[in-house]
Amino acid sequence: MLYEAGRLVGCHHCLLPNVTDLTLRYALRMATRAALRAVVGGGGGVTAVLRTVSPSQYEGGEWNKDGNCVRTRPYRRGEKTLQGVELDFHTLQVEEFEAAKRAVTASGGSGGAVRMMLMDTTEAMIVRADAHPSRYRGWTRRKGWMKEYFTISNDCVHWCVPGAVDAWNDMLSHMLLTSQS
């Protein structure tokens, strides 16, 4: 269910009569916009960093349909590209970030400066399909209560190999220490 200013504006796959079916892209855009507006409108002396989407790396199927990520080497630059919802999410993140940055500039930084930074990790992370736990995450089934609901699946979204996510720390440190705006 999606609300704007306390009013129901639609839903995503709720199939209720007289309720507009909105896309996941719409929900992601509105959530990103709301978060950035809150930061921008919250006053000065703030540094806002928006990290872009980190792509999932499933090959051969979806996460629940035999998809896996057992690569042993990174992709080469340009070998893999964003597609579908992830491409749309990245695009809308950049668009909403730029709109928020323009709003800060247009307001003249009233109430103090809000420093806006886009940490675009997407391109760097899309090549690191080799850095996920995959089927090796070692999650064991729980005994007793609801054990039938806990199964092992390939995890191609979270990161585990040192280096990939560690680079985010380096990127953020560099941005914070070298940015003038």
Side-chain angles (χ1 to χ4, degrees):
M1 306 305 283
L2 304 170
Y3 293 85
E4 290 179 14
R7 183 180 61 85
L8 177 66
V9 295
C11 67
H12 182 62
H13 291 301
C14 70
L15 305 175
L16 294 174
N18 301 317
V19 178
T20 304
D21 187 27
L22 298 171
T23 64
L24 177 60
R25 290 158 182 83
Y26 176 87
L28 292 171
R29 180 175 295 277
M30 293 299 107
T32 303
R33 183 177 294 169
L36 288 170
R37 281 184 180 168
V39 170
V40 169
V46 173
T47 298
V49 179
L50 175 64
R51 181 191 54 84
T52 58
V53 64
S54 179
S56 64
Q57 305 280 4
Y58 291 98
E59 295 182 52
E62 300 289 324
W63 68 272
N64 59 349
K65 296 183 180 128
D66 296 326
N68 66 50
C69 50
V70 292
R71 289 188 153 269
T72 57
R73 69 164 183 81
Y75 283 111
R76 289 183 177 87
R77 185 179 295 242
E79 188 177 353
K80 172 118 168 129
T81 59
L82 282 181
Q83 298 176 357
V85 172
E86 289 173 340
L87 175 60
D88 292 344
F89 191 23
H90 180 266
T91 300
L92 74 85
Q93 283 181 305
V94 173
E95 290 171 356
E96 292 300 325
F97 174 83
E98 292 301 329
K101 196 170 181 178
R102 284 191 303 273
V104 167
T105 302
S107 71
S110 59
V114 176
R115 183 166 68 158
M116 302 287 295
M117 301 175 140
L118 181 68
M119 191 167 97
D120 194 342
T121 60
T122 304
E123 185 178 347
M125 292 298 102
I126 199 166
V127 299
R128 290 307 311 268
D130 62 316
H132 297 286
S134 184
R135 63 179 177 245
Y136 305 107
R137 70 177 173 192
W139 190 17
T140 57
R141 289 181 162 218
R142 295 185 182 189
K143 295 179 182 176
W145 185 74
M146 292 181 57
K147 68 180 177 183
E148 66 274 11
Y149 293 106
F150 296 92
T151 59
I152 296 174
S153 61
N154 287 312
D155 184 349
C156 304
V157 175
H158 298 98
W159 303 93
C160 71
V161 175
V165 174
D166 297 328
W168 296 359
N169 296 328
D170 295 336
M171 291 170 73
L172 181 59
S173 294
H174 177 77
M175 290 172 66
L176 293 172
L177 294 172
T178 61
S179 176
Q180 299 301 317
S181 59

